[in-house]
Amino acid sequence: MSDQFDLERLDRFLMSDAAPDDCMGLSDLDGFMTGIAVGPEVIMPGEWLPRVWGGDTPVFESAEQAQEIVGAIMGRFNQIVRSLDGHPDDLEPIYWENPEKGIVIAGDWAEGFLEAIKMRREAWSPLIRDPKAHMVLLPILALCEEAEANSLMKLDVDPDIQFVAPSLIPTCVFAIRTFWPLGTSFRSPLSGSKVGRNDPCPCGSGRKYKRCCGSN
């Protein structure tokens, strides 16, 4: 899969002062979009994009920057969707890494995935309540804060699973996808990496793009 978007620039924007204080970072955004893509119901970007910003409004310096940032988000989302038609090795989740210490931190990714579940908690409940199938969620929940995980499933999670959980996540995501009845978890890549002037503004303001960031 060739990249037509700049994840490094997206990462810098999400970490900058122009992004709201509570917006997602790149890793939790990646987990969040994976949860959206593999979930039991289709959720349109107009609903989930405002969650990326944490309910506040980013400050784009121009319409071109808004298109670039939203295009990078949607480009990565489409890449995730396409990978789900392949092999778990194709998924390549974005985790935080410390190359000097050889540490991989997947907790933010898992927290983002959990946020996606919360958007459709009732729709996810058949998987959560299934006595066998819910096991595919355990590696993800093991990486979340205990209170967050317990709010979803009151289960004892072996803390040792945290050490292997990052490597298990791609396989778990594919197992989640196959749990849903045929067709319900199917996603097609979205063509809308660009924002139409009459579309809701991706900043989450609730206004049309042409009246908001597109007016710059």
Side-chain angles (χ1 to χ4, degrees), residues 119-194:
M119 291 195 71
R120 292 292 189 273
R121 182 164 179 164
E122 283 303 311
W124 279 83
S125 62
L127 174 60
I128 295 170
R129 296 171 183 167
D130 190 289
K132 292 183 178 179
H134 77 259
M135 298 295 290
V136 298
L137 286 172
L138 295 187
I140 297 173
L141 295 177
L143 294 166
C144 297
E145 292 184 7
E146 185 175 356
E148 286 289 324
N150 286 342
S151 71
L152 183 69
M153 299 169 64
K154 298 185 181 300
L155 296 170
D156 292 327
V157 180
D158 184 350
D160 290 339
I161 200 175
Q162 294 182 5
F163 298 106
V164 296
S167 63
L168 296 176
I169 281 177
T171 300
C172 291
V173 168
F174 271 69
I176 291 168
R177 182 179 188 267
T178 60
F179 174 81
W180 311 118
L182 183 63
T184 59
S185 63
F186 177 79
R187 302 287 182 273
S188 297
L190 298 173
S191 60
S193 60
K194 290 187 176 182

Side-chain angles (χ1 to χ4, degrees), residues 56-67:
D56 208 339
T57 304
V59 180
F60 296 115
E61 62 186 25
S62 65
E64 288 73 23
Q65 186 190 45
Q67 292 279 10

Side-chain angles (χ1 to χ4, degrees), residues 14-34:
L14 296 174
M15 298 294 289
S16 73
D17 291 338
D21 292 339
D22 293 331
C23 87
M24 297 181 180
L26 185 60
S27 186
D28 36 339
L29 170 61
D30 198 66
F32 177 66
M33 292 193 296
T34 303

